[in-house]
Amino acid sequence: MSKVEKLISISPMAAHFARFIQSLEPGAGREVALAAALVSAEVERSNVCAFLPAFGGTLVSEALPFGEEECFPQLEEWLSALNASNVVGGVGDYAPLILDSAGRLYLHRYYNYERSVADMLISRTTKKLHSEKALTGLLNRYFPSKDDDPDYQRLAALCAATSPLAVISGGPGTGKTTTVVKIIALLQELAGDNPLAIALCAPTGKAATRLKEAVDSARDSIAAEAEVISRVPSEVYTIHRLLGAGSRGFRYGKGNPLPYDLVVVDESSMVDLPLMAALSDALSDECSLILLGDRDQLSSVEAGAVLGDISGGRLAEQFSKDFSEKAAAAGIAIAGEENSSLLSDAVVILNKSYRFNQDGGIGLLSGAVKRGDAVEALRILKSGDPELSFGPSEGVEFIEELRRITVKEGGEYLRLAANGASPVMVLKSFGELGILSSVRRGPLGVEGLNMEAEKALYEAGLIKPEGEWYHGRPVMVTANDYDLSLFNGDIGITLKDNASDKLRVWFPGAGDVARHFSPYALPAHETVYAMTVHKSQGSEFNTVFLALPGSIEGRGVTRELLYTALTRSRSRMIVRGSEDLVRRAVLSPTERISGLGEMLWGLKKDKR
């Protein structure tokens, strides 16, 4: 095997784990220690496992621990040493490290996470709910004929009504929430005098709030009787809250399942593998599951690309012959394949956007980015479309523009607060402008952008930052606090309480109310005039101002990151950065190493 240099960094934590593994088997050689360090490092990089064939015999760019050599062992001798080790087991064994037949090495718990999710999903593909013949009338009422051929919203409803698993993926404005609300009403009609217990949830408080707003809005457009509409849930949980998260773990899990007939998860692309495994363990065998999300967005910050793996990549929309016949009976014409996967009939991709003008700049640009067409993406970005603005992310003009737009659009929530608006209205107004960056540090990172935005608002007389806490300071929670039901990603606004003349931090609550806390009671948090693109998931803004860093800092700018930033905007997208960085981002899709896709579809996502 030829030796290829790889940029591999073994952190102190990964090296410490490797030494722990060595302590369990003192006679184990360098091969085992390096494998342990590598798999730990891969999990730190948000991969689920280490694919050893990609590393065997390769040089690395820095010295590896546990020996003088600066390369990994040759694959054959490496696998032989691991198979002979007592700390490495095969699939089904109880050992700290698990090695599968394809050469994927897992930490034991991560293999169990994948297996738990896969088993939960596959078990639901073999069960049937309602007959398609009983659905035609309801489908015609809830999803009347359109010009679309086939109508994939109608197809998603057929999937959810006939099977206890439905995965509905689509970009912004494709009608995912409207579709699922109609599906819930349809299922409640079918339930008759025995209403279904249904839970709606999302990964973060911010995403849960948006889901509630969308469900409340969609509820008014349902073609159903008032009693049926009243059965559409009005409360939305975070997944942590749904599972009963506490300091000792989750209340619900194996042996104590959730008391629901159907669980709906929005923004599923944000759900990491451990959390999806926890949810899988908490579902009873009789509980149906609907996953909503956009498979082309950024994956979770933590390990895994769960929705992407579940959605099947290129194999999605290759429905079985049996399902195509069911769809035909329900008035939907789709092609059927002879050799489809078990999951083929559970995944529906919505492609038509009803939010963006199909010929508008944001819609066209996000489509080109999603396809990986860098030439077309740059052409659209520089076309002068009124929805788009492109320019450099440097110089005095950039700073002046950032300050100007911060005061004009980002300061609206402060003007509302000054005029006595309610905390609920102030929180909603904060979504007018999203200032986003791909990185945290540096002048074009979140820290630098926050400083410039705060300075601009101060100079405009909208805030008085005379200490850490001040009226108008927006904060994002960065650590979960189960006692306060505040979770990573939740955004609050600091406002003066007129009754007590004290500062309180207000967060969205259930319904049209807001919850408030003392600033000093909050878990870890940070100022959030600007945020990373990762943290913006689950949010929408009228205007998005995206600052892309220079070439060195911009190594982490990927196709998914750029697509996610673009699709946060409702009406106006401002991109500041270089053409070269945009081009490289479009041509750089993210790869998360895991075995879940192969467990579900036979997909191999192991190339680095």
Side-chain angles (χ1 to χ4, degrees), residues 265-527:
V265 184
D266 194 23
E267 295 289 356
S268 297
S269 66
M270 298 170 63
V271 183
D272 59 43
L273 180 63
L275 186 57
M276 186 63 79
L279 179 62
S280 299
D281 290 343
L283 299 179
S284 70
D285 292 341
E286 295 74 31
C287 183
S288 296
L289 177 66
I290 298 177
L291 299 177
L292 304 175
D294 185 349
R295 64 179 183 172
D296 296 304
Q297 279 190 26
L298 280 167
S299 299
S300 57
V301 176
E302 303 300 328
V306 179
L307 182 62
D309 286 336
I310 294 174
S311 297
R314 67 185 185 279
L315 295 182
E317 299 182 274
Q318 295 184 13
F319 302 105
S320 70
K321 284 281 189 183
D322 180 59
F323 188 69
S324 69
E325 291 170 2
K326 291 179 181 179
I332 309 167
I334 55 171
E337 304 287 337
E338 291 289 352
N339 299 311
S340 61
S341 164
L342 279 173
L343 242 65
S344 295
D345 300 339
V347 178
V348 178
I349 310 298
L350 305 180
N351 288 310
K352 182 175 180 179
S353 176
Y354 299 92
R355 180 198 300 174
F356 297 131
N357 178 349
Q358 295 298 300
D359 297 321
I362 296 175
L364 291 172
L365 178 57
S366 59
V369 171
K370 185 167 68 172
R371 295 191 305 272
D373 189 340
V375 173
E376 180 67 1
L378 280 168
R379 186 195 68 77
I380 296 167
L381 191 54
K382 299 188 296 180
S383 67
D385 186 283
E387 295 181 358
L388 301 172
S389 174
F390 181 56
S393 58
E394 57 188 9
V396 175
E397 290 184 1
F398 168 79
I399 297 299
E400 290 179 347
E401 179 186 34
L402 172 64
R403 292 181 178 178
R404 185 170 58 251
I405 197 169
T406 297
V407 172
K408 182 179 179 181
E409 299 186 37
E412 184 60 27
Y413 80 98
L414 294 166
R415 286 183 278 270
L416 282 174
N419 290 326
S422 69
V424 171
M425 293 300 296
V426 173
L427 284 163
K428 287 182 178 179
S429 178
F430 187 70
E432 291 293 312
L433 172 67
I435 301 174
L436 309 183
S437 175
S438 61
V439 295
R440 291 192 55 79
R441 294 181 173 80
L444 295 180
V446 168
E447 293 175 358
L449 297 175
N450 265 323
M451 289 177 60
E452 292 295 343
E454 186 178 61
K455 184 177 180 181
L457 294 171
Y458 167 69
E459 292 176 351
L462 292 172
I463 60 172
K464 295 180 180 179
E466 297 172 343
E468 179 185 6
W469 291 102
Y470 55 86
H471 178 76
R473 181 193 177 197
V475 294
M476 176 182 285
V477 172
T478 58
N480 296 332
D481 188 317
Y482 301 112
D483 294 328
L484 297 181
S485 290
L486 289 175
F487 301 101
N488 188 2
D490 290 355
I491 290 179
I493 306 291
T494 310
L495 300 172
K496 183 172 287 187
D497 181 23
N498 292 330
S500 64
D501 202 37
K502 293 182 178 180
L503 293 174
R504 309 289 289 178
V505 186
W506 295 81
F507 291 85
D512 290 326
V513 298
R515 303 181 297 146
H516 60 88
F517 304 89
S518 165
Y520 306 104
L522 297 185
H525 55 271
E526 61 189 18
T527 302

Side-chain angles (χ1 to χ4, degrees), residues 220-270:
D220 297 334
S221 63
I222 299 175
E225 296 181 359
E227 182 182 355
V228 173
I229 295 175
S230 70
R231 295 180 183 179
V232 177
S234 59
E235 185 170 9
V236 180
Y237 302 88
T238 63
I239 299 177
H240 286 86
R241 183 177 165 218
L242 178 70
L243 295 176
S247 56
R248 297 186 178 181
F250 296 118
R251 174 185 175 188
Y252 294 102
K254 290 181 178 178
N256 186 32
L258 290 163
Y260 296 105
D261 302 301
L262 169 64
V263 170
V264 178
V265 184
D266 194 23
E267 295 289 356
S268 297
S269 66
M270 298 170 63

Side-chain angles (χ1 to χ4, degrees), residues 40-327:
S40 179
E42 287 290 85
V43 171
E44 289 177 25
R45 286 188 279 271
S46 300
N47 294 311
V48 176
C49 55
F51 185 58
L52 299 185
F55 294 95
T58 60
L59 294 170
V60 293
S61 58
E62 62 180 52
L64 292 169
F66 318 111
E68 297 297 326
E69 300 92 338
E70 294 187 358
C71 67
F72 288 104
Q74 293 295 328
L75 181 61
E76 186 175 344
E77 65 180 77
W78 202 1
L79 295 177
S80 177
L82 294 177
N83 284 319
S85 171
N86 294 326
V87 296
V88 181
V91 171
D93 291 338
Y94 186 77
L97 303 175
I98 300 298
L99 180 65
D100 74 6
S101 60
R104 284 183 288 258
L105 185 70
Y106 293 84
L107 300 177
H108 184 271
R109 68 182 182 277
Y110 276 87
Y111 180 81
N112 282 350
Y113 292 152
E114 277 198 348
R115 190 71 266 169
S116 179
V117 172
D119 289 347
M120 179 275 293
L121 295 169
I122 292 170
S123 70
R124 280 162 173 72
T125 64
T126 60
K127 300 175 182 177
K128 303 299 177 186
L129 296 180
H130 304 282
S131 166
E132 62 277 6
K133 294 179 181 178
L135 294 171
T136 305
L138 289 172
L139 289 172
N140 287 337
R141 175 150 54 86
Y142 284 103
F143 299 90
S145 298
K146 298 180 182 178
D147 295 333
D148 304 38
D149 187 21
D151 181 348
Y152 282 97
Q153 292 185 0
R154 183 181 176 112
L155 188 67
L158 175 68
C159 173
T162 57
S163 168
L165 174 66
V167 181
I168 305 172
S169 176
T174 52
K176 296 186 294 294
T177 306
T178 301
T179 299
V180 83
V181 170
K182 291 180 179 180
I183 288 171
I184 289 171
L186 184 153
L187 291 174
Q188 292 288 28
E189 277 204 51
L190 289 170
D193 296 331
N194 300 297
L196 300 175
I198 299 174
L200 306 179
C201 64
T204 66
K206 181 172 50 178
T209 299
R210 274 201 54 233
L211 176 59
K212 176 175 173 50
E213 292 171 351
V215 168
D216 288 344
S217 176
R219 188 186 284 110
D220 297 334
S221 63
I222 299 175
E225 296 181 359
E227 182 182 355
V228 173
I229 295 175
S230 70
R231 295 180 183 179
V232 177
S234 59
E235 185 170 9
V236 180
Y237 302 88
T238 63
I239 299 177
H240 286 86
R241 183 177 165 218
L242 178 70
L243 295 176
S247 56
R248 297 186 178 181
F250 296 118
R251 174 185 175 188
Y252 294 102
K254 290 181 178 178
N256 186 32
L258 290 163
Y260 296 105
D261 302 301
L262 169 64
V263 170
V264 178
V265 184
D266 194 23
E267 295 289 356
S268 297
S269 66
M270 298 170 63
V271 183
D272 59 43
L273 180 63
L275 186 57
M276 186 63 79
L279 179 62
S280 299
D281 290 343
L283 299 179
S284 70
D285 292 341
E286 295 74 31
C287 183
S288 296
L289 177 66
I290 298 177
L291 299 177
L292 304 175
D294 185 349
R295 64 179 183 172
D296 296 304
Q297 279 190 26
L298 280 167
S299 299
S300 57
V301 176
E302 303 300 328
V306 179
L307 182 62
D309 286 336
I310 294 174
S311 297
R314 67 185 185 279
L315 295 182
E317 299 182 274
Q318 295 184 13
F319 302 105
S320 70
K321 284 281 189 183
D322 180 59
F323 188 69
S324 69
E325 291 170 2
K326 291 179 181 179

